[in-house]
Amino acid sequence: MSGNRAVAYLKPGTVEVQTIDYPSLELRDGPGVAPENIGRTCRHGVILKVLATNICGSDQHMVRGRTTAPENLVLGHEITGEVIERGPDVEFTEVGDIVSVPFNIACGRCRNCKERKTGICLHVNPARPGAAYGYVDMGGWVGGQAEYAMVPYADFNLLRFPDREAARERLLDLAMLSDIFPTGFHGAVTAGAGVGSTVYVAGAGPVGLAAAASAQLLGAAVVFVGDLNAERLAQARSFGCETVDLTRGEPGEQIAEVLGEPEVDAAVDAVGFEARAHGADAEEAPATVLNSLMGLARAGGSIGVPGLYVTEDPGGIDADARTGSLKVRLGLGWAKSHSFTTGQCPVMTYHRQLSMAILHDRVRIARAVNAAVIPLEEAPRGYAEFDQGASRKYVLDPHGALNGVTAA
């Protein structure tokens, strides 16, 4: 094959479906590719026919111009596919396998990978620990919002679904395993959600909704979700969450209406660096969520931070924000003995267990995040609607594998 339709970032606010090279088992020069990675051979890799690939809030940060992403960067780090070609060093992954691709690219050989810290692999990105597909400063690995994609270190990275027919039947739910479901689950776990706990999730986007569903799966007694967007709050209520309307101001009083006190056992930041202040017509205030959660989490509690924070933000509100330096009330967190967990979710820590929960009907994650299937060619519409606050998780369907499938 010679062509491959893919979604590329052009400039702030604009993406385009382009024809790019069909993938090979070599990392070629291209937008965002680290010079040291050019020509890197991947005999250990596979080529996938992409069955589902999702638009992520992290992609939106780039498309809004809030990172240093280069023009024509091919987007997409949430990939589910079918193996159609394998490299000569692949031993256990077979052509025809249906697989989920963790968004973290990991070698399986370095110290961090051996410690299951696959979000900070030491060998896949010359610039810093950790890599991802189709993301700025993450090594230049080509994104998966495409018809076909290459995955390196396939035997280590891929989650194979043994029953192809069962995987096809639950493909829309399984498509959430590459990122948002494990990421939301990681946020809930690291915040200390468990049986009988009270949990507050800041942000009712897809990751926040996944974190809320995860807290329920973990046995939480009450799960609150806070947001400024009424449609997203309605989606959180649709699967049993209490909601906090942040246009009314700080969340403590609304939490106290349910619990009798303005604090929770566990708190999750599913917003990240583009946070806004609380209240009607709130302006951007990037430290708002972190500071709010330190106020809400009980003394001795934990705060999970799956929301993205960056080291460079060209659109930051001031000089500090442009370098990721936020005015966080660390003294408050210290005084309350809070624990914080940040960074990329190590997807492989969770994805097999979560796949079992999906396949055995313990969770309907596509329904919780309101997954909406659209053709690859309609990706620009999906990006625009998501940016305008639509309460949907857009799933691109390059080959029609999800024709007629809905999250209902």
Side-chain angles (χ1 to χ4, degrees):
M1 299 184 186
S2 58
N4 182 19
R5 301 289 284 165
V7 181
Y9 165 73
L10 296 188
K11 61 183 180 180
T14 304
V15 299
E16 177 182 84
V17 181
Q18 303 177 346
T19 298
I20 64 171
D21 290 339
Y22 184 80
S24 72
L25 298 176
E26 177 182 320
L27 190 52
R28 305 175 182 136
D29 194 7
V33 179
E36 300 92 330
N37 263 351
I38 296 171
R40 183 170 181 162
T41 57
C42 298
R43 294 167 56 89
H44 41 66
V46 298
I47 307 298
L48 296 184
K49 177 182 178 180
V50 177
L51 302 179
T53 178
N54 313 333
I55 295 174
C56 181
S58 298
D59 299 320
Q60 284 286 21
H61 294 307
M62 291 186 288
V63 174
R64 291 188 188 116
R66 300 298 296 266
T67 72
T68 56
E71 181 181 350
N72 292 315
L73 179 72
V74 175
L75 302 169
H77 56 271
E78 301 189 18
I79 310 165
T80 309
E82 178 181 359
V83 178
I84 58 174
E85 179 184 338
R86 67 179 201 162
D89 290 349
V90 176
E91 292 187 75
F92 308 113
T93 305
E94 303 288 348
V95 170
D97 284 346
I98 306 296
V99 296
S100 177
V101 184
F103 79 90
N104 326 108
I105 302 173
C107 72
R109 298 158 165 83
C110 71
R111 173 181 176 175
N112 285 347
C113 284
K114 289 178 179 179
E115 294 177 356
R116 304 287 285 175
K117 300 172 183 175
T118 52
I120 44 174
C121 174
L122 300 174
H123 289 161
V124 288
N125 183 359
R128 65 181 70 171
Y133 305 90
Y135 211 84
V136 60
D137 296 331
M138 287 291 183
W141 301 90
V142 179
Q145 287 175 15
E147 294 175 303
Y148 302 94
M150 190 272 282
V151 175
Y153 303 103
D155 283 332
F156 182 69
N157 282 302
L158 295 177
L159 175 66
R160 172 180 172 271
F161 303 120
D163 186 332
R164 283 175 49 88
E165 294 308 312
R168 288 279 191 168
E169 288 175 6
R170 297 300 298 273
L171 186 59
L172 189 57
D173 287 288
L174 295 173
M176 305 303 140
L177 288 172
S178 55
D179 182 356
I180 67 160
F181 192 13
T183 294
F185 194 83
H186 182 60
V189 167
T190 56
V195 175
S197 62
T198 57
V199 182
Y200 175 72
V201 179
V207 169
L209 295 172
S214 297
Q216 292 176 336
L217 187 62
L218 289 163
V222 184
V223 180
F224 296 90
V225 179
D227 206 289
L228 298 157
N229 181 315
E231 181 184 350
R232 291 182 170 183
L233 291 176
Q235 179 60 27
R237 286 192 295 273
S238 75
F239 61 97
C241 298
E242 299 284 345
T243 54
V244 174
D245 180 359
L246 295 175
T247 65
R248 292 170 50 190
E250 295 298 320
E253 183 175 330
Q254 294 175 64
I255 289 172
E257 290 172 2
V258 177
L259 298 182
E261 57 183 0
E263 65 178 19
V264 293
D265 300 320
V268 180
D269 175 0
V271 178
F273 74 103
E274 287 193 65
R276 292 183 174 275
H278 299 154
D281 302 316
E283 299 293 327
E284 187 168 313
T288 296
V289 172
L290 291 172
N291 288 329
S292 173
L293 296 191
M294 285 187 281
L296 294 172
R298 65 174 178 82
S302 296
I303 298 172
V305 189
L308 175 67
Y309 288 87
V310 295
T311 57
E312 292 183 78
D313 173 11
I317 60 171
D318 55 33
D320 286 338
R322 286 191 284 275
T323 60
S325 300
L326 308 183
K327 295 178 180 178
V328 175
R329 292 188 65 195
L330 187 59
L332 176 59
W334 189 94
K336 295 178 75 174
S337 295
H338 285 156
S339 298
F340 296 79
T341 301
T342 65
Q344 287 187 35
C345 165
V347 170
M348 274 190 269
T349 300
Y350 309 108
H351 66 172
R352 182 188 176 280
Q353 301 96 309
L354 295 178
S355 75
M356 294 294 285
I358 289 170
L359 292 168
H360 292 276
D361 292 319
R362 298 296 298 167
V363 63
R364 304 291 298 211
I365 190 63
R367 181 183 299 169
V369 302
N370 199 21
V373 179
I374 60 175
L376 183 72
E377 296 293 334
E378 293 186 21
R381 173 176 70 85
Y383 271 96
E385 292 179 0
F386 190 30
D387 189 52
Q388 291 161 9
S391 185
R392 300 182 195 91
K393 175 65 174 178
Y394 286 98
V395 179
L396 305 179
D397 184 12
H399 295 282
L402 290 165
N403 279 347
V405 175
T406 68

